[in-house]
Amino acid sequence: MFEKVVSNYDQQELELRILKFWEEHKTFQQLVQKNQDGKVFSFIDGPMTANNKMGVHHAWGRTYKDIFVRYKSMQGFHQRYQNGFDCQGLWVEVEVEKYLGLNCKADIREYGLDKFSQKCKERVLKYASVISAQSRRLGQWMDWDNSYYTMTDTNIEYIWMFIKRCYENGWLYRGRHIMPWCLRCGTSLSQHEMADSYREIQHPSVFLQLPIVGRDNEYFMVWTTTPWTLAANTALAVNPDLIYVKAEHDGKTLILSKGTLESVLPGARVISEHIGKEFKGLKYRSPFEELPAQREIDHRVICAEMVGETEGTGVLHVAPGCGADDFEIHKREGIGIVNPVDDTCRYTNDFGEFSGKLVTEVARLVYQSLREKGYLFEVKTLVHRYPVCWRCNDELIFRLVDEWFIKCGQLREPLIEASRKVTWMPDYMGKRMEDWLNNMQDWCISRRRFWGLPLPFYYCESCGHITIVGSREELAERASLSVDDLPELHRPWIDKVRIKCEECGGEAIRTEDVGDCWLDAGIVPYSTLKYNEDREYWERWFPAEFISEMREQIRLWFYSMMFMSVTLEGRAPYQKVLIYEKVADEHGDSMHKSSHNVIWFDDAVEKMGADIMRWLFSSHNNAFNLNFGYGPARQIKRKLLTFWNAYTFFLTYASLDQPSVVLDGDSTDGLTELDRWILSRLHTVIGNVTREYEEYSAMRVIKHVEAFFDDLSNWYIRRNRRRFWRASSDEDKQAAYQTLYTVLVNIAKIVAPIIPFMAEEMYHKLVVSVHPDGPESVHLCDFPTVDESLIDQELEESVALAKRVVSLGLAARNKAGIKVRQPLGRLLVRLEAPEQKDSLHRFMGDLLEELNVKSVDVVTSLDGIAEPSVRFNLRQVGPRLGAMLPAAKKALSGEQARVYEDLLNKRPVSLQID
């Protein structure tokens, strides 16, 4: 039986009750069983780092994933429903260090690497459980017990396989490069970790005057924002084609570029002008040439076209051990190189009083030494963009290190070709990926940390050969101890394994380096799809038809997956990629913990509910940042109440009349034009939203559905209320019930992927309570299909025109201050197209009633329309003409009084409102 429901429902109570129903009835398991023989839809979940609880920014992406997975399930597609967790890397290590009160790598070693690794694993498992519970609360359906974890031995083995393939292709090498390096974390970062790491930071801007050897009282003006690198200076660089000047200042002749003269030495007298290349080969006194590390360096001026004059002095301080551009100059010009610091960012032993000190501790010593030598000209403060660590937010330095790299040159074109075959949504994201691929550098895959992928590189001290291990089986064959006895393939346990060198048979030891965490996530299209164990299974599910993550993943997960897949199989691992932007607060400000404006998922779902959150996410254009807040949530709730009120309207009367309705009735007997119209609109909407779901546009689905909500509530139900009020159960009343019932059930199915809780609640009350033999959940139903025979485009256009005229008529009344309850005699409607006249007359009764006028005259032109016979300003008598007191009539002239009488007696009258 139909039961009456409350109009103002409790969102929290409803959602928690539905969650309990799904759990008790194993609804998700029923869905998997129902579709197990269906066509395959392959979705791969981008692994979320199991390091903290979810914020609302995580919920945006999870909502998209759930929407389209649910939609495909309602179409009968068989799916894997595998969630993923990213488990390794510095994100986890940093949080564990904080928890344990550790501050550096030395502290970790003292604490015990085995205990530290175990704590990292415990944290991952803890937050994987938290995130799974939060995702369930969001309404996301996945096979949570079958989630994949990137820390597993299986995932590690697959990455070893990929690395060995790169080695066999000649792409793997160990090389010396200038790399961004985090002091706190004690490791380098790769190019794709640097994209959004720059911040506005205040640094000292140091100007030096360095003497030219063999020239009395002449100095080069030099500038730097990294004073710690001056101890590693080996050259100065000038632009060969720039104009430089010799300027007199304080009794000295200073050389700098002409374009920087006014900002550095305002008012200085110019002695002469020169072209930069004239200074090539000159020798100068380096700031710290007395240090043991500097004694073999030939300090001279070289030319480099990269030297500019937008800031500084036009004379570049070159320290090849501390900067990427400087290192390139070193390789090209053959100048000396000094590598000043070790992995802890402390100066090595040949740097005098700097030795053993952190680079962040020496600024005072540097200034003091320069001042004593007469080299320090000025120290200013400069605010500029400078990189920070994306994990701990500490400032980075650049230093020369030996790291493991994968060459990218041979893969660049195949990667671009594969990317062009992918459908990127929005499409311009494909251009961003291509731009990234065009500019990608060799991939630095090594990190000097602990909790991460153990790189399979074994070095033989006897012959210097490096053996690359490609699998656990291969490791076991070469190992000095039983690999099966290892608790897992992580440090420190794997560090104990020695292998036999494949070259000389001697003992080889594994490098202590771990791998870039994006190797962990990039391999999942292979490790989770049983590429090595069951090739038939892999071919069934590869490539993924659909994946979705935020924009930053272009250079991260999307890139690493593409790189590894093109290496292994020569093609992209995904076909369609939905990309969304960032979440800001409702004022548009970026969410940061430090700003205390982060909204955590648990808080948001408690205050607004999951359905409202999901509708807010879905209705937004994913190409733009989303402003999330409780103000927008209240607007969403009002929109959903429109649909809910239509549902409660039906049940209010159905609970009294208990009409006999069928689920799939196709009879059109007894239907009014408005019945046929709303059914036509329903099937038009079904076609539209099906297309939008197929194109992964939740926003356009929402637009179609919200427009239909308005049609249903503000036109169909409002124009048909009297049919439900009748005491008798005649054919017309039955037709009204059946029509509204059909519409509500189908719309519940349409919105089920987006608002699974409300849709389920409605379905239970509309269907399960009346037709218990059908599916017990809306999510076990088939998605509605279009019945073309019910679509009447001309009828839809007629109603749309009538609604438009009513809207304009009401707007005119509002502008004039005449309320609808005040009857008027005539409405003139000018139509652009004459053929619209019949359409309008089709619903003339609705127009007259909605606008409270006696007649509607349709005209195609205003020519010949007489001017109004009466003109008066409503302010003379007030806007509420229908409620005027008789005494007000005395204040009117004779003609105005006649108009007043016409209005009261509903006689036609022509008015012009000032």
Side-chain angles (χ1 to χ4, degrees):
M1 295 180 62
F2 290 116
E3 300 175 5
K4 187 176 181 180
V5 297
V6 297
S7 58
N8 190 17
Y9 66 98
D10 184 330
Q11 185 82 37
Q12 291 292 330
E13 185 277 332
L14 183 155
E15 292 179 357
L16 294 175
R17 178 162 40 81
I18 295 299
L19 283 172
K20 184 177 180 181
F21 170 84
W22 288 340
E23 181 179 0
E24 291 177 348
H25 289 252
K26 299 187 182 301
T27 311
F28 172 71
Q29 291 78 0
Q30 290 186 58
L31 178 65
V32 175
Q33 180 71 23
K34 167 180 170 285
N35 293 340
Q36 65 178 353
D37 296 325
K39 296 179 292 183
V40 163
F41 175 73
S42 183
F43 163 74
I44 294 180
D45 181 46
M48 179 177 170
T49 304
N51 192 34
N52 275 299
K53 60 185 180 180
M54 287 205 314
V56 293
H57 54 293
H58 298 112
W60 188 9
R62 296 208 154 219
T63 295
Y64 278 143
K65 296 171 185 179
D66 192 54
I67 286 172
F68 299 110
V69 166
R70 281 183 180 271
Y71 165 71
K72 287 295 183 179
S73 72
M74 292 182 73
Q75 289 194 318
F77 282 89
H78 177 41
Q79 302 182 62
R80 296 175 61 251
Y81 300 103
Q82 189 176 36
N83 174 76
F85 288 113
D86 212 351
C87 310
Q88 300 178 147
L90 266 169
W91 274 125
V92 180
E93 287 196 50
V94 168
E95 291 299 326
V96 172
E97 286 180 66
K98 291 178 183 177
Y99 175 75
L100 296 174
L102 309 178
N103 296 310
C104 61
K105 291 164 68 174
D107 288 352
I108 294 173
R109 291 191 178 94
E110 184 177 348
Y111 175 77
L113 184 50
D114 55 344
K115 292 190 294 182
F116 182 77
S117 293
Q118 188 59 38
K119 288 294 183 183
C120 289
K121 186 174 182 178
E122 289 174 5
R123 183 178 183 87
V124 166
L125 294 176
K126 171 186 174 181
Y127 281 103
S129 178
V130 170
I131 293 167
S132 296
Q134 292 177 310
S135 300
R136 290 188 184 98
R137 181 62 187 88
L138 179 65
Q140 186 178 14
W141 272 3
M142 296 292 270
D143 186 1
W144 299 106
D145 293 335
N146 189 37
S147 295
Y148 71 83
Y149 296 78
T150 62
M151 65 185 176
T152 62
D153 287 357
T154 297
N155 210 65
I156 289 171
E157 276 196 84
Y158 271 94
I159 302 171
W160 287 359
M161 174 195 69
F162 160 75
I163 291 174
K164 186 155 189 177
R165 182 73 60 86
C166 293
Y167 171 70
E168 292 168 348
N169 292 341
W171 301 340
L172 185 69
Y173 71 96
R174 185 168 177 82
R176 302 194 82 195
H177 286 264
I178 295 293
M179 298 295 296
W181 187 274
C182 178
L183 283 74
R184 200 214 70 82
C185 299
T187 190
S188 58
L189 290 79
S190 58
Q191 178 193 17
H192 53 254
E193 296 175 287
M194 294 289 292
D196 291 328
S197 65
Y198 283 78
R199 305 286 185 270
E200 293 288 335
I201 294 177
Q202 181 175 292
H203 278 154
S205 178
V206 183
F207 292 84
L208 311 177
Q209 47 192 18
L210 299 181
I212 301 175
V213 175
R215 294 195 178 184
D216 186 35
N217 210 33
E218 286 193 12
Y219 302 79
F220 282 112
M221 285 291 292
V222 183
W223 172 81
T224 184
T225 58
T226 53
W228 72 269
T229 66
L230 290 171
N233 170 266
T234 63
L236 298 180
V238 297
N239 189 308
D241 301 317
L242 273 183
I243 298 176
Y244 287 78
V245 297
K246 290 184 178 181
E248 183 182 12
H249 178 79
D250 209 15
K252 299 176 182 176
T253 300
L254 304 179
I255 300 174
L256 69 167
S257 71
K258 185 176 182 179
T260 63
L261 176 65
E262 190 59 32
S263 62
V264 179
L265 298 174
R269 184 175 70 86
V270 174
I271 300 172
S272 58
E273 292 188 0
H274 305 264
I275 301 299
K277 57 188 176 184
E278 295 179 28
F279 302 117
K280 182 179 180 180
L282 290 180
K283 294 188 177 183
Y284 68 99
R285 296 295 181 193
S286 184
F288 294 96
E289 61 183 6
E290 74 278 4
L291 296 176
Q294 289 277 357
R295 286 175 183 166
E296 303 299 323
I297 302 297
D298 180 24
H299 299 98
R300 56 189 172 87
V301 178
I302 53 96
C303 289
E305 294 180 355
M306 55 160 294
V307 178
E309 53 183 351
T310 55
E311 56 186 3
T313 65
V315 182
L316 180 68
H317 146 61
V318 181
C322 308
D325 291 335
D326 304 44
F327 187 64
E328 291 303 312
I329 292 174
H330 150 75
K331 291 193 293 185
R332 185 177 65 249
E333 300 291 335
I335 60 176
I337 185 169
V338 173
N339 194 7
V341 297
D342 59 18
D343 286 1
T344 66
C345 295
R346 295 181 182 275
Y347 287 89
T348 55
N349 291 332
D350 48 358
F351 280 84
E353 62 179 336
F354 300 143
S355 295
K357 291 183 172 59
L358 282 171
V359 297
T360 54
E361 299 174 344
V362 299
R364 184 183 58 81
L365 292 176
V366 169
Y367 301 152
Q368 180 180 337
S369 177
L370 293 175
R371 191 176 291 110
E372 291 172 354
K373 297 168 186 171
Y375 294 168
L376 184 63
F377 182 81
E378 185 178 18
V379 179
K380 297 182 179 179
T381 297
L382 173 72
V383 177
H384 64 156
R385 290 182 60 78
Y386 191 83
V388 299
C389 178
W390 66 289
R391 306 169 183 98
C392 69
N393 284 322
D394 276 18
E395 292 182 29
L396 303 176
I397 68 168
F398 291 84
R399 60 180 295 258
L400 185 63
V401 291
D402 293 320
E403 299 284 9
W404 288 94
F405 295 85
I406 299 175
K407 295 178 182 177
C408 296
Q410 293 183 30
L411 268 183
R412 195 180 309 276
E413 289 306 316
L415 283 168
I416 292 173
E417 182 180 350
S419 176
R420 288 176 178 173
K421 295 177 181 177
V422 173
T423 299
W424 299 91
M425 302 171 287
D427 57 0
Y428 62 80
M429 290 296 181
K431 298 296 184 183
R432 288 192 178 182
M433 172 59 92
E434 193 164 324
D435 182 65
W436 172 260
L437 296 174
N438 275 317
N439 292 282
M440 67 178 179
Q441 301 168 7
D442 289 352
W443 186 355
C444 177
I445 63 170
S446 54
R447 301 290 184 272
R448 299 183 187 181
R449 291 294 302 190
F450 309 108
W451 177 245
L453 163 80
L455 291 176
F457 308 146
Y458 285 82
Y459 174 75
C460 178
E461 294 182 347
S462 299
C463 69
H465 179 74
I466 294 177
T467 300
I468 311 296
V469 174
S471 68
R472 186 189 186 104
E473 181 181 4
E474 184 180 345
L475 179 64
E477 290 174 356
R478 298 176 181 276
S480 58
L481 52 82
S482 174
V483 175
D484 293 336
D485 291 338
L486 298 178
E488 56 191 80
L489 295 179
H490 278 107
R491 301 189 66 190
W493 304 283
I494 197 172
D495 294 343
K496 300 174 184 177
V497 177
R498 306 287 191 268
I499 71 168
K500 183 182 294 186
C501 174
E502 62 184 356
E503 190 74 15
C504 72
E507 185 178 72
I509 302 173
R510 195 191 71 83
T511 176
E512 290 189 347
D513 293 352
V514 296
D516 180 5
C517 64
W518 295 108
L519 291 167
D520 301 341
I523 200 64
V524 297
Y526 294 85
S527 61
T528 65
L529 300 183
K530 306 178 182 180
Y531 180 71
N532 288 334
E533 298 88 355
D534 187 344
R535 190 58 65 93
E536 182 179 347
Y537 180 89
W538 176 80
E539 289 176 351
R540 186 183 187 194
W541 295 102
F542 184 93
E545 182 172 331
F546 167 68
I547 62 172
S548 178
E549 296 295 338
M550 72 173 304
R551 170 175 49 84
E552 289 181 351
Q553 299 302 326
I554 285 177
R555 59 182 173 83
L556 299 170
W557 189 52
F558 301 153
Y559 166 67
S560 62
M561 277 203 298
M562 181 74 79
F563 192 105
M564 299 173 87
S565 189
V566 170
T567 296
L568 294 173
E569 284 291 324
R571 54 178 170 150
Y574 40 76
Q575 295 175 330
K576 297 176 182 177
V577 183
L578 176 65
I579 299 174
Y580 51 94
E581 290 290 335
K582 294 183 177 181
V583 175
D585 66 20
E586 60 186 290
H587 305 294
D589 296 327
S590 297
M591 288 190 183
H592 294 293
K593 292 180 183 178
S594 59
S595 303
H596 305 291
N597 66 340
V598 171
I599 300 178
W600 297 107
F601 172 79
D602 289 339
D603 297 332
V605 79
E606 179 68 25
K607 291 180 181 179
M608 68 175 66
D611 275 342
I612 291 173
M613 191 186 304
R614 291 169 67 112
W615 195 275
L616 190 155
F617 289 138
S618 304
S619 61
H620 185 73
N621 186 339
N622 55 287
F624 298 95
N625 286 351
L626 184 152
N627 294 348
F628 187 98
Y630 299 112
R634 287 190 289 270
Q635 298 175 20
I636 298 296
K637 186 172 184 178
R638 285 194 290 269
K639 291 179 180 180
L640 291 182
L641 276 174
T642 301
F643 182 36
W644 183 265
N645 289 338
Y647 157 74
T648 58
F649 172 84
F650 174 86
L651 286 182
T652 297
Y653 293 98
S655 65
L656 298 173
D657 294 332
Q658 296 299 326
S660 177
V661 291
V662 294
L663 271 176
D664 300 312
D666 55 2
S667 173
T668 58
D669 295 341
L671 298 184
T672 66
E673 282 210 304
L674 279 181
D675 291 339
R676 292 191 295 106
W677 165 72
I678 198 65
L679 290 174
S680 177
R681 283 285 295 124
L682 170 66
H683 284 273
T684 295
V685 168
I686 290 173
N688 288 338
V689 300
T690 300
R691 181 182 66 252
E692 306 303 357
Y693 273 126
E694 291 293 334
E695 294 180 359
Y696 299 94
S697 178
M699 178 190 69
R700 293 200 296 266
V701 170
I702 295 289
K703 285 187 175 180
H704 288 299
V705 170
E706 287 184 347
F708 187 80
F709 285 174
D710 181 71
D711 283 343
L712 177 65
S713 178
N714 294 325
W715 192 257
Y716 179 77
I717 291 178
R718 196 161 55 78
R719 297 300 310 151
N720 280 284
R721 286 182 182 276
R722 285 188 293 268
R723 297 171 71 190
F724 295 90
W725 294 345
R726 294 173 182 169
S728 61
S729 296
D730 58 13
E731 183 180 349
D732 181 61
K733 187 174 185 179
Q734 176 62 30
Y737 270 122
Q738 181 64 62
T739 299
L740 184 53
Y741 180 78
T742 299
V743 168
L744 290 172
V745 171
N746 278 277
I747 290 298
K749 294 177 182 178
I750 286 173
V751 299
I754 298 175
I755 47 173
F757 297 100
M758 182 184 286
E760 187 76 288
E761 173 74 2
M762 290 182 172
Y763 180 82
H764 283 179
K765 295 293 193 297
L766 291 171
V767 178
V768 178
S769 61
V770 181
H771 302 286
D773 295 336
E776 67 176 16
S777 167
V778 68
H779 304 290
L780 298 176
C781 295
D782 294 337
F783 196 82
T785 56
V786 177
D787 185 342
E788 297 288 349
S789 68
L790 295 178
I791 294 180
D792 186 335
Q793 193 63 40
E794 183 178 334
L795 177 60
E796 290 190 42
E797 291 174 357
S798 295
V799 175
L801 178 61
K803 289 184 64 184
R804 178 64 175 155
V805 170
V806 168
S807 177
L808 291 173
L810 292 175
R813 274 182 171 274
N814 184 62
K815 184 177 181 180
I818 305 175
K819 293 188 176 180
V820 177
R821 67 171 176 263
Q822 170 63 52
L824 293 176
R826 185 173 64 147
L827 173 73
L828 294 182
V829 180
R830 180 170 65 87
L831 300 174
E832 295 293 338
E835 61 270 18
Q836 291 179 313
K837 183 175 182 180
D838 291 339
S839 295
L840 197 61
H841 277 290
R842 194 171 182 176
F843 292 95
M844 187 58 69
D846 297 283
L847 289 179
L848 296 175
E849 187 172 326
E850 287 288 319
L851 293 173
N852 196 7
V853 296
K854 290 192 64 176
S855 66
V856 175
D857 291 343
V858 177
V859 296
T860 57
S861 171
L862 295 178
D863 295 340
I865 302 296
E867 287 292 318
S869 57
V870 179
R871 298 184 61 175
F872 67 94
N873 191 322
L874 285 178
R875 287 190 296 273
Q876 292 177 330
V877 294
R880 302 180 63 185
L881 291 179
M884 287 173 58
L885 295 173
K889 182 178 178 181
K890 299 177 182 179
L892 302 176
S893 66
E895 186 65 17
Q896 291 173 334
R898 186 188 64 76
V899 171
Y900 175 74
E901 290 288 348
D902 286 342
L903 287 172
L904 291 181
N905 294 302
K906 303 181 183 179
R907 289 193 290 267
V909 64
S910 178
L911 295 176
Q912 176 170 314
I913 308 299
D914 289 342

